Amino acid sequence: MTPSFSLSRIWTLATATVTQLLRMKIMAFLLIFCVIVVAAGFAFPVMNPEQQLKLLKDVSFGALQLFSIVIAVCATALLLPRDLEDRTLYTILSKPVPRFEYLLGKLFGVLILIGAGLLIMDIAFSGVLWLRQSFVLTQSVSALQQEGAATPEAIAQLNAFVGKQGLTWNLHLGVVAIFFKAAVITALTLMISCFASSTLFTIVISFFVTIAGHGQGLIREYFFTGQGGVVKKVLSALLAVVTPDMAVFDIIDNVINGELVTLAAFGMMAGITATYLVGYSVVSHLLFVEKEL
Amino acid sequence: MKRKLQALIVLLLLGAVRLPMEQYVTHYYRTTGLLSAPLSLGLRDNLSQMGFAASLGGLRSLVATISYLRAYREWENVNWAKVDSLMQLTTNLQPRYENYWDEAAWHMAYNAASAYLYDEKIETDVRTSLYKEHVQRGIDILKRGLQFTPESARLWSTLGDIYANRTENPREATLAAEAYLQVFRLSRNERYARFAAHQYSLTPDPAKWRKAYDMLSAFYQKKRVSATLLDDLKKLEVKLNIPFPQRIPTPGIPIEAPADPYTGVYR
């Protein structure tokens, strides 16, 4: 008898999804990213060392965010229509594979791809940042030596100063926050694609909800603390309930400036991500289970 | 149809569950400094549509850097009004990054103020007035920055430097001293306590002279003596009419050179 839930089946579907997406050559973005990072790493040498490192981090993390959001929306939006077009979906579902396993396989496939992409980009970015940091430090120390002020105290101070703006473990937690955000967007797009009539519709609506989600905090705060009529309150509540809060993942802005991500803060973010993934997966299942294919 | 209704109910329930949760997490992140306060809608006037959308969409740090680079270019073009406006935008986007406040204040209190002071195309009275206005602008920027980062030794130090070096009113020496004392409180670097005492000694207030004398005497007792410290002590002894037997003996104590003649009040 076939088990009603099988992790190995989900894994098989996830790896097949990764292969399918890799064949679409969407990872070409990685190459573009590397060019952007290297260019940002060595641009504007006239700025002060601290600002040079900040620029590199800002540009790299901006590119990481864009990559993850674009892949999350576009790759996920393409999956179901492509399977229908290729008739792969019929082959899979004619076997004893429950529909929710199919959805989970697709979701995990995209998440694996985004996770691997972010990991590769994080390694590339860390390498360039480390090189830049070492270069900046060497330059500053030699400037101190020329002025005859290279005391051990001054060099230690310089090390601490550059180190704060350089490569830290904390920055990698920022990359994880970007992954969490992409995971929520992936689950959201999968949910939309379960009732959407076309790929374009899925992409447009997903981007719209993602953008609105970045302002959800403002709507929510208006609902909780704002002054206004009943109609405005109800509308704001409805909007806040329907859109996900994307701003809660935007800690990267302050992580770049050296704010530390505590274990509690990280745990909260992981908890919110899990809530979204479970919630959106349940809704996706309810929409997909009766969908006429 | 039944499933679609169920899906809608789950979606609404999910929203109702996560709203208070997200409200709490957002508050927690703001308290711990991981999230900045929401962008003021007034910023939309200064940012392009794309810039505003990008800063809402988690690229606030990147938009701040771009705005900083634009300010840098305007500095090269000697367009002080534009430098001020772009640096204001930059600091509003990232108010917890002390470097932006420091640099914005430096542009106004040093670069712009000096540029106007030495601009021979402008009438002398106007030059002086513009100089004072821009120094004051630098002070205002730092005070605003300190509202966001009150524990920034760097901003307190710059504020002290501006009061000490860029203003001519001896009454402002008290403000410089207080700023340096904040740096000392935050960094425990004794040099700033000496700077504070030096500034107190420059005020017209005898009570402050006494305070300066006590602080400098404490350093003297600990044998942490520099040429400037000794000079200040000698002047204060005269100002305060300290009886001769209580005055410090000048010879016999090795005098250390100032640690860095290019920093602080000696800049």
Side-chain angles (χ1 to χ4, degrees):
Chain A
M1 187 173 165
T2 315
S4 58
F5 182 78
S6 161
L7 278 175
S8 67
R9 275 201 303 259
I10 294 173
W11 178 249
T12 309
L13 281 162
T15 47
T17 306
V18 172
T19 314
Q20 184 186 4
L21 290 170
L22 285 175
R23 282 183 187 149
M24 291 182 202
K25 302 207 173 5
I26 56 172
M27 297 303 265
F29 198 97
L30 285 177
L31 198 67
I32 300 168
F33 174 82
C34 291
V35 174
I36 291 171
V37 169
V38 172
F42 296 93
F44 306 104
V46 288
M47 288 198 306
N48 67 51
E50 189 182 355
Q51 202 57 40
Q52 283 179 42
L53 295 175
K54 186 175 181 294
L55 174 82
L56 171 60
K57 288 189 285 183
D58 281 340
V59 172
S60 305
F61 279 109
L64 279 174
Q65 287 214 56
L66 277 180
F67 158 80
S68 58
I69 293 174
V70 170
I71 298 287
V73 172
C74 297
T76 315
L78 282 171
L79 287 177
L80 292 186
R82 182 59 68 94
D83 276 5
L84 272 169
E85 198 181 300
D86 298 349
R87 304 198 172 273
T88 326
L89 186 64
Y90 303 111
T91 317
I92 296 168
L93 295 181
S94 62
K95 294 187 169 56
V97 177
R99 287 192 179 196
F100 69 88
E101 279 188 11
Y102 170 79
L103 284 178
L104 285 179
K106 291 288 160 190
L107 176 67
F108 288 132
V110 180
L111 293 187
I112 290 169
L113 187 86
I114 293 173
L118 283 175
L119 183 69
I120 294 168
M121 288 192 282
D122 188 25
I123 292 168
F125 155 72
S126 301
V128 175
L129 182 61
W130 185 80
L131 277 177
R132 192 80 192 106
Q133 179 184 344
S134 312
F135 183 63
V136 161
L137 196 63
T138 314
Q139 259 188 335
S140 306
V141 170
S142 71
L144 273 182
Q145 280 167 344
Q146 276 175 2
E147 288 170 13
T151 58
E153 196 188 27
I155 292 174
Q157 232 173 19
L158 200 64
N159 258 319
F161 184 67
V162 175
K164 195 185 164 199
Q165 283 301 322
L167 189 61
T168 59
W169 284 107
N170 210 37
L171 285 177
H172 302 302
L173 292 180
V175 178
V176 177
I178 292 175
F179 174 71
F180 283 162
K181 190 194 224 179
V184 173
I185 295 172
T186 305
L188 170 82
T189 310
L190 192 65
M191 182 182 80
I192 293 170
S193 75
C194 286
F195 65 84
S197 49
S198 70
T199 308
L200 188 65
F201 177 85
T202 309
I203 291 176
V204 170
I205 297 296
S206 300
F207 271 121
F208 176 76
V209 177
T210 302
I211 292 167
H214 283 97
Q216 192 257 18
L218 295 172
I219 306 168
R220 190 187 60 233
E221 274 177 23
Y222 176 78
F223 169 66
F224 279 117
T225 57
Q227 308 275 314
V230 181
V231 179
K232 279 185 182 173
K233 283 265 183 184
V234 170
L235 277 176
S236 64
L238 201 64
L239 264 173
V241 161
V242 173
T243 49
D245 184 3
M246 292 296 167
V248 87
F249 300 99
D250 289 340
I251 59 166
I252 194 67
D253 274 351
N254 290 353
V255 166
I256 287 173
N257 296 337
E259 297 288 352
L260 286 178
V261 184
T262 59
L263 197 63
F266 187 75
M268 283 179 198
M269 192 174 290
I272 286 184
T273 310
T275 309
Y276 274 114
L277 288 185
V278 172
Y280 284 159
S281 298
V282 171
V283 178
S284 301
H285 167 66
L286 290 169
L287 292 169
F288 191 62
V289 75
E290 279 188 349
K291 190 178 169 95
E292 284 182 24
L293 302 167
Chain B
M1 193 63 207
K2 194 180 151 196
R3 292 286 190 183
K4 280 181 183 163
L5 195 65
Q6 282 176 347
L8 185 66
I9 292 168
V10 172
L11 193 65
L12 293 175
L13 275 177
L14 173 71
V17 168
R18 63 179 170 76
L19 273 196
M21 203 160 84
E22 285 167 348
Q23 185 76 353
Y24 172 77
V25 171
T26 305
H27 177 72
Y28 177 81
Y29 282 175
R30 282 197 191 138
T31 316
T32 52
L34 280 171
L35 277 183
S36 305
L39 274 182
S40 148
L41 292 179
L43 271 184
R44 209 186 300 176
D45 299 336
N46 301 341
L47 280 170
S48 64
Q49 290 281 354
M50 188 68 97
F52 189 74
S55 47
L56 267 183
L59 301 172
R60 203 159 149 171
S61 187
L62 182 63
V63 177
T65 294
I66 293 167
S67 154
Y68 169 83
L69 290 173
R70 287 176 62 203
Y72 196 94
R73 197 183 59 198
E74 295 302 335
W75 175 38
E76 288 173 334
N77 294 338
V78 202
N79 185 348
W80 301 117
K82 198 74 186 162
V83 170
D84 190 20
S85 136
L86 286 167
M87 284 310 290
Q88 196 179 345
L89 178 61
T90 311
T91 49
N92 279 336
L93 283 166
Q94 289 220 290
R96 288 180 57 82
Y97 187 49
E98 59 181 12
N99 187 44
Y100 286 149
W101 293 107
D102 190 25
E103 208 154 316
W106 173 67
H107 276 310
M108 289 300 109
Y110 288 85
N111 299 330
S114 297
Y116 284 118
L117 187 66
Y118 298 111
D119 189 345
E120 291 181 357
K121 285 181 242 160
I122 306 173
E123 290 290 324
T124 315
D125 290 347
V126 180
R127 277 198 243 167
T128 315
S129 164
L130 284 170
Y131 172 84
K132 283 181 184 167
E133 273 173 26
H134 283 84
V135 169
Q136 188 55 45
R137 174 78 188 120
I139 290 170
D140 292 343
I141 289 170
L142 286 171
K143 282 184 178 168
R144 184 141 189 274
L146 282 164
Q147 287 173 1
F148 291 98
T149 53
E151 300 297 294
S152 167
R154 182 173 179 174
L155 294 191
W156 282 114
S157 168
T158 310
L159 185 64
D161 288 348
I162 293 178
Y163 277 130
N165 303 326
R166 308 295 287 173
T167 57
E168 286 165 1
N169 187 348
R171 289 185 190 281
E172 289 186 339
T174 309
L175 298 172
E178 281 160 10
Y180 285 136
L181 280 180
Q182 289 286 357
V183 185
F184 173 62
R185 179 181 67 81
L186 293 163
S187 67
R188 309 312 300 171
N189 186 340
E190 286 181 349
R191 194 171 62 166
Y192 288 96
R194 294 207 301 248
F195 288 172
H198 174 74
Q199 291 300 319
Y200 277 140
S201 76
L202 299 177
T203 63
D205 182 359
K208 298 282 189 293
W209 299 343
R210 186 77 228 181
K211 203 171 174 179
Y213 183 77
D214 291 343
M215 287 166 75
L216 294 174
S217 298
F219 282 116
Y220 181 83
Q221 298 301 332
K222 287 192 267 181
K223 299 200 188 306
R224 292 190 187 147
V225 184
S226 65
T228 46
L229 182 139
L230 215 51
D231 187 47
D232 282 342
L233 266 178
K234 284 286 168 203
K235 282 178 185 162
L236 285 165
E237 279 173 348
V238 175
K239 279 178 169 179
L240 290 166
N241 280 325
I242 304 286
F244 279 97
Q246 289 174 28
R247 291 190 182 185
I248 54 160
T250 312
I253 295 168
I255 294 172
E256 66 181 46
D260 182 0
Y262 299 107
T263 56
V265 291
Y266 306 105
R267 193 177 294 168

